[in-house]
Each structure stands twice: as structure tokens, then as C-alpha cells.
Amino acid sequence: MDIKENDSKLFTPGPLTTSLTVKEAMLHDLGSRDTIFLNIIAHIRGKLLELADVSADEHAAVLVQGSGTYAVEATFSTTIPHQGAKVLIIENGAYGQRMTKICRILNIPHDVISFHETERVQVDLVANKLQSNHYTHVAIIHCETSSGILNPIEEIGQLVYDHGTTKGSTVYIVDSMSAFGAIPVSLRNGHITYIISSANKCIEGVPGFAFVIGKKQHLLTCQGQARSLVLDLYDQYTYMEQSKQFRFTPPTHTILAFKRALDELDQEGGVHGRAKRYEANNKLIREKMKTLGFIELIKPEYQTYIITSYYYPSAPFNFQTFYNKLSEKHQLIYPGKTTETDCFRIGNIGRLFENDMATLAECIKEVCEEMNIELPLTNNTKQ
Ligand SMILES: *Cc1c(COP(=O)(O)O)cnc(C)c1O
């Protein structure tokens, strides 16, 4: 099957639309031990620390081959001791549930505090939960990409810091996959021990590796704990420190693209510059969708500027037809990832600009007309 001459715009949660220059950066074959390549790895690791607003004195960035989930699993696999550990997973959507699944598969003792998939994590309920039990580790999702909710990770971080007999002894793991690089975060203020993201989300690289930024002091206690060979964060870290290399075949082209993507993030004004563009994208599509009569799944006060979920128009509505027709117009949206409601998602991260969002809205309007869906939607009742 031939690839379309013009790539579709990806209004998805990743992989995302990337710049031509990021793609062009991959037009080189480097050896995994090339000095040039090793220097690029070192540069990237340093740059990630800068983005997290920490320094190499206390923190380290570890790159892990694979998609984002590989780094989440590596973090759980490596940083939780075999004896005496108990994890609290705070979840309000599919990505939080995935962390629970990881614990189940790795046989890690855990409790789960769940919130409805359309609700933000509630700080007071988490506080009660922490008071009634002792947890060695607490894990949460930053932006729950399955809905678009932004969770209060710094407030929870303060609770986690105060939890237990010694302040700061509880390990706090944050999956910031779809937020890191576009939503400012302070590891210090959030008392975060490990934060996780990947190459192909808000930093706008291509898929192939993920990364964990963690406290060295803790990471260094994790030798021999990993329940996996390839997902051993400690080994990956110490090997990278000593040799500047990956343990196993590195995603060389992805690393080159990522280096370029980091340069472009700088050019855009860093995290704040990128946040500004994403906020403008998000504002524009939400206004346009509102005009068409689409209703958002998430209350505006919980909603962040990464991705937005919309209820289907009222029945009969065939999402697959809607999706295919948009795809023919080179616009790729995403199905919903919530369990209780029929919805679809529009991401506005990646190399997208306001004119792209306007084009998408125009295409959605045309597709609705082709499907005989009357606009603006009126009886678009919530299912
Ligand atoms: C994208 C994403 C992941 C990782 O998904 P992969 O498909 O493994 O890359 C994990 N958590 C969140 C919140 C995400 O948005």
C-alpha cells in the first residue's frame, strides 16, 4: 500500500506530527559507539535535566529503548524492593489502570485509589488514604491522556513527602508522558522521585525510546531489584554513566531526531514557548468545536491544553465513517479511551499550529455535512 504523498496531520496523543527538519535529522547512519553519537546521548541527558529544572548533582536522566510504557514498567520493575514495599496507585483513567496492571504482572503489592474517568484526582481523598496506610511508593499520571484531565501532581507530591515516619522517604513516581516538555513541572516543588516521558510526545521527536528522570540517591539503591533484564533502570543508568552507551542496540535515528527536536524546543522558547502554542491550538479547536455544537467530556476546570474529548453527536452516529472521511482529508483524530462514554479525542500537540486546527474544524464541518449530521448539533445529549 502506498503512503499518501502528503502526510496526514496527527491530532492524536502520539506518535505526533513532527517537523521536516526533525525527520531530516535521521538521514544518517551512526555506529552505536561513534564518539559523535555518544556525545549526542550525553547532550540529550543533560538537556532533559534542564527541562526538568534539576541538575546532575542530584538527578540523572536514563534513556530506555521502546515506547513510553517500557519506561513506566522499567521504573516499577527497578525501584520497588522485593521485600516490605507497598505501592499506592492513584488512577482516573486508562493510563493509571495500566500502572496497576504492571504491578499485578510484576507481583508488586499495591493498593489503588480510583476516581471516575471524568473527574480529577481529589487531594483530600488521597490524604485520607495515605493516613490510613503506610506506602513506600505512590504513583500518579500527570495528564491523563485518555480523557485530557490534568491531575494536581504537586499537591499530591506534598502529601507524599509528608507521608511516613521520615519526610521524603516515600518514593513518588509521576507518569508525565503527555505533559513533559509542554506543561512546566518542578521536580523539587512536586517532591518527585521519578518522572517519566517519551521521545514522541511534547518534545516532538519520533518514537523509539522513553526516559526517566530520577533522584540519583534513590536510583543507586536499586541494584539487583529489577524483575527484567532489558527493563533494568539501574543497570541502564550505571552502564550509561560508565560507557556513555546504551546496553543494547540503541535507536540511533530516533536519538538524532530527538536531538534536533530539543533544539527546536529551545528555539520555540522552551517549555513555556511550547505551552503557549499548544494553549493557542487548544483554545482555537475548542471554540470551533463549540460553534459546531460538540460537547466536551471533561469540565473545563479539569481540562488541560494537550487533548480534548468530545461526546459523539447523537445517534445514529458511526465513528468509523467519521474517522475514515476525516482521514481521506488527511486529518487523523483518535477514538476515545474512556469506558463509560462514547467519545472521540482531538489532540493538539506535535508540530501543529492554529491554521492546522482551523483546517481540522473545517474538515469536521464538511464531514458532518457529508454524513447528513445537522449543524450546529442540537440534541447532542450526553450518553
Ligand atoms: C502515551 C502515554 C503513555 C505511553 O504509551 P506508549 O504507547 O507506551 O508510548 C503512558 N502514559 C501516558 C499518560 C501517555 O499519554
Side-chain angles (χ1 to χ4, degrees):
M1 199 174 167
D2 289 337
I3 293 181
K4 286 179 198 149
E5 200 169 312
N6 294 312
D7 290 347
S8 293
K9 296 287 179 191
L10 305 179
F11 302 94
T12 63
L16 304 173
T17 296
T18 55
S19 69
L20 180 62
T21 37
V22 162
K23 288 184 274 281
E24 282 172 348
M26 291 187 283
L27 298 174
H28 298 278
D29 300 314
L30 293 185
S32 54
R33 291 161 193 237
D34 260 349
T35 313
I36 299 172
F37 183 60
L38 301 190
N39 289 340
I40 292 174
I41 294 177
H43 170 82
I44 286 173
R45 294 182 63 210
K47 204 70 209 171
L48 287 174
L49 294 182
E50 266 179 47
L51 288 180
D53 200 21
V54 290
S55 80
D57 300 339
E58 290 181 17
H59 291 82
V62 189
L63 314 183
V64 179
Q65 295 98 323
S67 79
T69 308
Y70 289 61
V72 178
E73 184 159 336
T75 306
F76 277 90
S77 174
T78 308
T79 69
I80 298 168
H82 289 254
Q83 301 291 329
K86 179 114 185 217
V87 183
L88 177 65
I89 295 181
I90 305 170
E91 71 90 357
N92 57 338
Y95 288 105
Q97 286 158 12
R98 189 175 291 177
M99 299 197 295
T100 306
K101 196 166 179 190
I102 289 172
C103 283
R104 216 180 306 129
I105 288 173
L106 298 181
N107 253 324
I108 292 170
H110 62 281
D111 282 348
V112 180
I113 178 165
S114 291
F115 297 89
H116 192 265
E117 59 190 6
T118 59
E119 294 293 325
R120 198 173 192 221
V121 165
Q122 265 177 269
V123 178
D124 53 338
L125 296 182
V126 174
N128 292 347
K129 186 83 183 166
L130 287 171
Q131 255 155 29
S132 62
N133 291 277
H134 182 255
Y135 295 103
T136 53
H137 296 65
V138 177
I140 192 170
I141 305 289
H142 191 183
C143 165
E144 186 38 93
T145 327
S146 55
S147 60
I149 294 175
L150 185 67
N151 283 322
I153 57 163
E154 291 196 2
E155 285 161 271
I156 302 285
Q158 187 62 50
L159 295 177
V160 174
Y161 180 74
D162 293 332
H163 180 64
T165 39
T166 323
K167 271 195 194 306
S169 63
T170 306
V171 174
Y172 186 36
I173 300 170
V174 177
D175 170 350
S176 183
M177 210 67 69
S178 60
F180 190 82
I183 299 181
V185 60
S186 163
L187 265 62
R188 229 172 285 282
N189 295 346
H191 301 288
I192 298 166
T193 324
Y194 296 100
I195 194 160
I196 307 159
S197 185
S198 79
N200 62 283
K201 298 240 173 164
C202 297
I203 296 175
E204 300 185 356
V206 304
F209 74 93
F211 53 87
V212 183
I213 300 165
K215 275 196 183 146
K216 287 202 281 195
Q217 201 188 16
H218 189 267
L219 191 52
L220 287 169
T221 66
C222 299
Q223 185 171 17
Q225 280 178 182
R227 284 95 171 148
S228 158
L229 172 69
V230 289
L231 299 181
D232 187 336
L233 202 62
Y234 173 89
D235 258 10
Q236 186 88 339
Y237 166 60
T238 48
Y239 192 85
M240 231 171 229
E241 283 293 301
Q242 284 154 17
S243 69
K244 290 178 148 188
Q245 297 174 24
F246 279 75
R247 283 180 304 160
F248 310 120
T249 302
T252 43
H253 299 83
T254 302
I255 294 274
L256 289 174
F258 194 69
K259 154 82 170 55
R260 175 69 203 184
L262 285 170
D263 292 346
E264 293 180 10
L265 177 61
D266 263 352
Q267 285 161 15
E268 195 170 6
V271 177
H272 288 276
R274 183 137 305 171
K276 231 166 129 181
R277 173 161 59 89
Y278 287 176
E279 277 178 302
N281 284 351
N282 184 260
K283 184 163 178 273
L284 194 138
I285 192 66
R286 288 171 65 192
E287 279 169 8
K288 298 260 182 204
M289 290 297 279
K290 193 172 173 192
T291 312
L292 298 178
F294 283 90
I295 295 176
E296 296 177 3
L297 175 73
I298 303 300
K299 288 185 206 150
E301 60 267 37
Y302 301 155
Q303 168 73 47
T304 185
Y305 51 83
I306 300 293
I307 192 164
T308 312
S309 300
Y310 289 97
Y311 286 102
Y312 282 178
S314 42
F317 173 74
N318 186 317
F319 176 74
Q320 200 54 49
T321 309
F322 186 67
Y323 177 91
N324 291 346
K325 283 181 175 290
L326 280 172
S327 169
E328 282 162 21
K329 297 178 192 289
H330 302 272
Q331 315 287 308
L332 283 199
I333 59 163
Y334 229 53
K337 210 182 171 76
T338 46
T339 49
E340 289 180 19
T341 33
D342 284 330
C343 59
F344 63 88
R345 290 178 288 168
I346 297 179
N348 52 258
I349 55 178
R351 210 68 194 158
L352 299 170
F353 298 87
E354 282 169 280
N355 61 324
D356 297 309
M357 306 316 295
T359 304
L360 172 65
E362 198 50 45
C363 291
I364 288 176
K365 188 166 170 240
E366 286 169 19
V367 166
C368 285
E369 279 157 11
E370 287 168 30
M371 290 174 73
N372 294 318
I373 299 168
E374 205 181 317
L375 293 174
L377 306 171
T378 44
N379 55 346
N380 177 6
T381 46
K382 302 182 184 186
Q383 274 98 0

